[in-house]
Amino acid sequence: MKTTAARISSLVLLAITTSASMAQTQLLRKDLLQVLLTQQPLSQIEVKQVTMPVGQTAPKHTHPCPVVGYVASGSVLFQIEGEEKRVIQRGEAFYEPKDKVILHFDNDSAHEPLTFIAVYLKQADEGLIQLVK
């Protein structure tokens, strides 16, 4: 049986993925991401819209909670430690696992800002981000 927090996170993700489709006459559902969260207690969800200017890069960092995101505009150069770099385009989703080093989360465009929606799946006492030296 799903917990209330799991139901809420499902509803938040459904709202993000279907908001663009609502203007159309027919409901369309497109799978963007599926992640199995194992042993992740969930008591709080925070949803943030983040905009990075042209050329901005994020420092190496981790998240003390899992993060699910959606690129609303622009593109991001993304790399988790131990994985290959990849570019995530507008309309695509990403996942940043708890406590994994994020080597790159950079605006990949030389011409437009990057805007993404980040959904932080937290325990109430967890922060959002920790910089890595």
Side-chain angles (χ1 to χ4, degrees), residues 66-78:
V67 180
V68 175
Y70 176 81
V71 177
S73 66
S75 58
V76 60
L77 176 64
F78 180 69

Side-chain angles (χ1 to χ4, degrees), residues 34-67:
Q34 186 173 19
V35 175
L36 178 62
L37 298 175
T38 58
Q39 300 179 353
Q40 169 64 29
L42 181 62
S43 62
Q44 183 176 353
I45 296 172
E46 290 188 32
V47 181
K48 310 264 187 211
Q49 178 177 311
V50 181
T51 300
M52 296 174 70
V54 172
Q56 184 171 6
T57 62
K60 252 193 262 189
H61 65 279
T62 63
H63 295 283
C65 63
V67 180

Side-chain angles (χ1 to χ4, degrees), residues 23-125:
Q24 300 175 2
T25 58
Q26 186 177 38
L27 178 69
L28 300 174
R29 186 168 291 144
K30 176 182 174 184
D31 290 336
L32 298 177
L33 178 71
Q34 186 173 19
V35 175
L36 178 62
L37 298 175
T38 58
Q39 300 179 353
Q40 169 64 29
L42 181 62
S43 62
Q44 183 176 353
I45 296 172
E46 290 188 32
V47 181
K48 310 264 187 211
Q49 178 177 311
V50 181
T51 300
M52 296 174 70
V54 172
Q56 184 171 6
T57 62
K60 252 193 262 189
H61 65 279
T62 63
H63 295 283
C65 63
V67 180
V68 175
Y70 176 81
V71 177
S73 66
S75 58
V76 60
L77 176 64
F78 180 69
Q79 184 180 19
I80 297 172
E81 188 171 60
E83 297 181 13
E84 295 293 319
K85 288 182 190 177
R86 63 186 174 108
V87 174
I88 303 169
Q89 303 290 338
R90 175 179 176 246
E92 296 179 336
F94 61 88
Y95 173 65
E96 295 176 273
K98 176 179 182 165
D99 297 326
K100 291 284 246 166
V101 176
I102 308 303
L103 298 175
H104 290 280
F105 199 97
D106 309 330
N107 183 342
D108 192 52
S109 175
H111 307 292
E112 69 175 311
L114 162 67
T115 299
F116 63 94
I117 308 301
V119 180
Y120 299 88
L121 307 174
K122 300 174 50 176
Q123 291 182 31
D125 59 344

